[in-house]
Amino acid sequence: IPWVAIFDPRITTTAQKGYFPVYLFKDDMSGFHLSLIQGFTEIIELYKTDAMQVLKVRAADFRAQIPTLPKDFEESKITLASGNSTVTHLSPFYEVSNIISKYYPKSNLPSENTFINDFLELLKVYELLRKTAELKI
């Protein structure tokens, strides 16, 4: 699954743990999600066969800390696999690791301003979660 991520080093410097904003492209390139997602490699190593359930619970916990979703963002599960392609064994982990996202179909891309505003809105949520985590310490 092609992706492009942004890391705040106070949260994580790797896609293997923590949480971060990412553009996740569908396997057939028919669209992409702007997502706030969890790194899952560390969770897989720690929880083995229970990793999917742990990621679901953690995603729900993150969502519970977000008072208001940015406009047009959803809590629903993302889908990266097209109906007629073979996906990697990691695709389900990307999908279940989603916290919030917005989908952009290739056939109906918004303006550059919308892309920028959506990204800035997601960064606000990212910062909010970071500050919330600091308060817990």
Side-chain angles (χ1 to χ4, degrees):
I1 300 296
W3 56 268
V4 177
I6 293 86
F7 303 130
D8 180 333
R10 295 170 292 184
I11 299 168
T12 189
T13 57
T14 175
Q16 296 181 352
K17 62 182 181 178
Y19 55 95
F20 47 90
V22 63
Y23 288 99
L24 288 166
F25 294 84
K26 290 184 68 104
D27 64 347
D28 65 357
M29 301 305 281
S30 62
F32 60 93
H33 298 269
L34 172 56
S35 176
L36 187 60
I37 198 166
Q38 306 168 69
F40 53 79
T41 304
E42 184 177 69
I43 299 299
I44 293 170
E45 291 171 358
L46 287 171
Y47 294 95
K48 313 286 189 251
T49 58
D50 293 330
M52 293 286 269
Q53 185 59 34
V54 170
L55 289 164
K56 285 179 189 177
V57 168
R58 287 173 44 123
D61 181 59
F62 281 122
R63 282 191 291 273
Q65 297 174 55
I66 303 169
T68 305
L69 291 181
K71 182 181 180 205
D72 298 326
F73 278 76
E74 300 178 354
E75 297 178 3
S76 62
K77 180 181 173 188
I78 61 174
T79 303
L80 299 171
S82 59
N84 30 331
S85 69
T86 306
V87 294
T88 70
H89 70 284
L90 297 178
S91 296
F93 288 100
Y94 284 110
E95 293 171 351
V96 76
S97 296
N98 178 60
I99 299 167
I100 62 170
S101 67
K102 182 174 180 180
Y103 181 68
Y104 304 94
K106 181 173 96 172
S107 62
N108 189 23
L109 294 176
S111 70
E112 182 178 337
N113 282 341
T114 299
F115 278 129
I116 292 168
N117 289 335
D118 290 346
F119 184 73
L120 293 174
E121 287 299 311
L122 189 63
L123 285 181
K124 288 178 187 175
V125 173
Y126 188 40
E127 180 68 7
L128 170 79
L129 289 175
R130 184 189 65 76
K131 288 181 178 178
T132 302
E134 285 179 355
L135 293 173
K136 292 180 181 177
I137 297 175

